Amino acid sequence: DGGITQSPKYLFRKEGQNVTLSCEQNLNHDAMYWYRQDPGQGLRLIYYSQIVNDFQKGDIAEGYSVSREKKESFPLTVTSAQKNPTAFYLCASTDRGRGAFFGQGTRLTVV
Amino acid sequence: EDKVVQSPLSLVVHEGDTVTLNCSYEVTNFRSLLWYKQEKKAPTFLFMLTSSGIEKKSGRLSSILDKKELFSILNITATQTGDSAVYLCAVTFGDNFNKFYFGSGTKLNVKP
């Protein structure tokens, strides 16, 4: 079955550490997105990528980095520069403006 | 500045009530508007709207888009406690469908 897989489901990070969240899709979608969601809030766009080896910043890119070396994969690194990283992170992919498919999310907590 | 605005931010109703959720947008090169329901984790797809004035229905839910006035509504009739969720509106836009923005969501609480 096609879909998007995010891992891990839960992640704990110590202050000052970088962590990488995985997002893999086998839907052959061109565009992939990373969103951050805080309690009671909507989804805010961190980064998006339309094609391999190309990505653009969203509204809240500071403290995050991404790569798109393969069409199937769009990992997000939360760097130590992100001062408030505790949140729920969602990865999505779309195919030419059709409905997005979402992963199940990663809940990141700073300890 | 591109934006998607939803209202109200939260809503409390009783079972059997009808609710209307609003989504307005200001984007360049609009492509489509989508509605999602988010209960605990990943949002689940409800509707995608691309043409004005054509209502989409699924059971007790329906939605319509007005591309002239730049808004969409999501109606839920005969609400049930299982409808309690955050309802998200998203807009795809840009020259190559490359932007996909969400509104802040409407939190719906349906009381028995």
Side-chain angles (χ1 to χ4, degrees):
Chain A
D1 286 337
I4 297 184
T5 302
Q6 281 187 245
S7 62
K9 196 172 178 180
Y10 299 96
L11 186 58
F12 297 90
R13 188 194 97 169
K14 291 183 179 179
E15 287 193 28
Q17 276 185 337
N18 291 357
V19 290
T20 297
L21 283 58
S22 170
C23 178
E24 304 276 331
Q25 54 101 357
N26 60 3
L27 300 163
N28 201 33
H29 285 174
D30 292 314
M32 297 185 74
Y33 305 80
W34 273 106
Y35 295 93
R36 170 183 171 139
Q37 188 173 36
D38 294 286
Q41 305 288 318
L43 303 182
R44 291 187 290 166
L45 183 63
I46 305 173
Y47 268 98
Y48 65 97
S49 167
Q50 193 183 348
I51 56 172
V52 174
N53 292 323
D54 185 58
F55 47 84
Q56 285 80 41
K57 293 181 179 180
D59 296 325
I60 55 166
E62 185 175 349
Y64 299 98
S65 65
V66 294
S67 63
R68 188 86 186 274
E69 296 177 3
K70 299 185 299 182
K71 190 175 185 177
E72 302 79 19
S73 178
F74 191 40
L76 173 74
T77 296
V78 185
T79 75
S80 56
Q82 171 49 241
K83 297 305 176 189
N84 185 22
T86 294
F88 185 58
Y89 291 86
L90 274 168
C91 177
S93 70
T94 66
D95 183 13
R96 298 288 294 174
R98 299 194 182 105
F101 287 75
F102 288 90
Q104 287 303 301
T106 294
R107 191 166 297 282
L108 174 63
T109 303
V110 172
V111 296
Chain B
E1 182 185 339
D2 300 313
K3 59 183 177 181
V4 180
V5 178
Q6 290 186 247
S7 64
L9 291 180
S10 65
L11 194 55
V12 180
V13 300
H14 288 93
E15 275 192 314
D17 289 348
T18 293
V19 298
T20 298
L21 311 182
N22 302 290
C23 177
S24 64
Y25 60 91
E26 290 182 35
V27 300
T28 305
N29 290 333
F30 170 87
R31 301 295 181 182
S32 62
L33 186 144
L34 302 101
W35 284 98
Y36 292 87
K37 178 181 181 182
Q38 186 179 28
E39 293 179 84
K40 290 188 178 177
K41 293 188 176 174
T44 54
F45 173 78
L46 294 175
F47 299 111
M48 183 172 77
L49 304 155
T50 56
S51 301
S52 269
I54 299 175
E55 186 183 50
K56 294 216 172 179
K57 284 182 71 78
S58 177
R60 297 176 291 103
L61 277 66
S62 64
S63 183
I64 197 162
L65 174 67
D66 186 328
K67 290 169 75 172
K68 183 179 177 184
E69 299 297 330
L70 308 183
F71 78 93
S72 172
I73 60 172
L74 175 69
N75 277 324
I76 308 175
T77 59
T79 52
Q80 302 170 356
T81 55
D83 294 327
S84 296
V86 174
Y87 290 85
L88 296 165
C89 167
V91 172
T92 65
F93 60 102
D95 293 336
N96 293 298
F97 298 84
N98 60 349
K99 296 186 180 180
F100 190 61
Y101 272 27
F102 280 85
S104 57
T106 293
K107 186 173 182 179
L108 175 64
N109 184 9
V110 181
K111 294 192 170 183

